[in-house]
Amino acid sequence: MEEVIKEIVDAEKQAEKRIEKAKEDAKVIVLKAKEDAKLIEKEIIQEAEEKAKALVEKARLEGEEEAKKILEEGEKEVEELKIKAINNFEKAISAGIELIRGG
């Protein structure tokens, strides 16, 4: 009987050791999972920041291109207005000369 009790006590001690080992293993697994989660979170944030920067840069370039087009169109209009003004001025001078000549 004494031998059976000893075996039961030994079995209980082994079970307790296994439980403690399982608890320690679980702690390590949880810590590792937390570290991995932090790394994944950091990677996701970094990726999101890079995408945001790329979108901002794309928008900036598109805005610059649009501004350039508008400026070019404005310059064309100014040039056309100058040509019209010169033509009108020349017509006015011609008309004035005709009036002076008595035309």
Side-chain angles (χ1 to χ4, degrees):
M1 185 73 164
E2 196 175 303
E3 187 64 32
V4 172
I5 293 174
K6 185 179 177 191
E7 286 179 17
I8 291 173
V9 169
D10 285 345
E12 285 178 352
K13 285 181 182 179
Q14 286 180 1
E16 285 178 18
K17 285 182 182 178
R18 288 182 183 163
I19 290 170
E20 287 303 312
K21 173 77 168 119
K23 286 179 182 179
E24 290 299 316
D25 290 348
K27 285 181 185 178
V28 170
I29 291 169
V30 168
L31 286 175
K32 176 71 173 142
K34 286 180 180 179
E35 289 173 5
D36 290 348
K38 285 181 182 178
L39 286 175
I40 291 169
E41 179 184 22
K42 196 181 261 188
E43 288 173 4
I44 290 170
I45 290 170
Q46 184 177 357
E47 185 179 327
E49 287 173 348
E50 288 172 5
K51 285 182 181 179
K53 285 179 186 177
L55 288 172
V56 167
E57 181 63 14
K58 182 181 177 188
R60 186 187 65 78
L61 290 174
E62 288 174 356
E64 284 180 4
E65 189 64 32
E66 188 63 27
K68 184 179 174 183
K69 286 179 186 177
I70 291 169
L71 184 60
E72 287 172 358
E73 289 173 6
E75 288 172 353
K76 281 182 186 177
E77 287 181 29
V78 167
E79 198 58 39
E80 289 172 4
L81 288 173
K82 282 182 185 178
I83 292 170
K84 286 180 183 178
I86 290 170
N87 288 339
N88 288 340
F89 182 70
E90 288 173 358
K91 287 179 187 176
I93 290 176
S94 295
I97 291 173
E98 283 297 316
L99 282 173
I100 291 172
R101 288 186 181 165

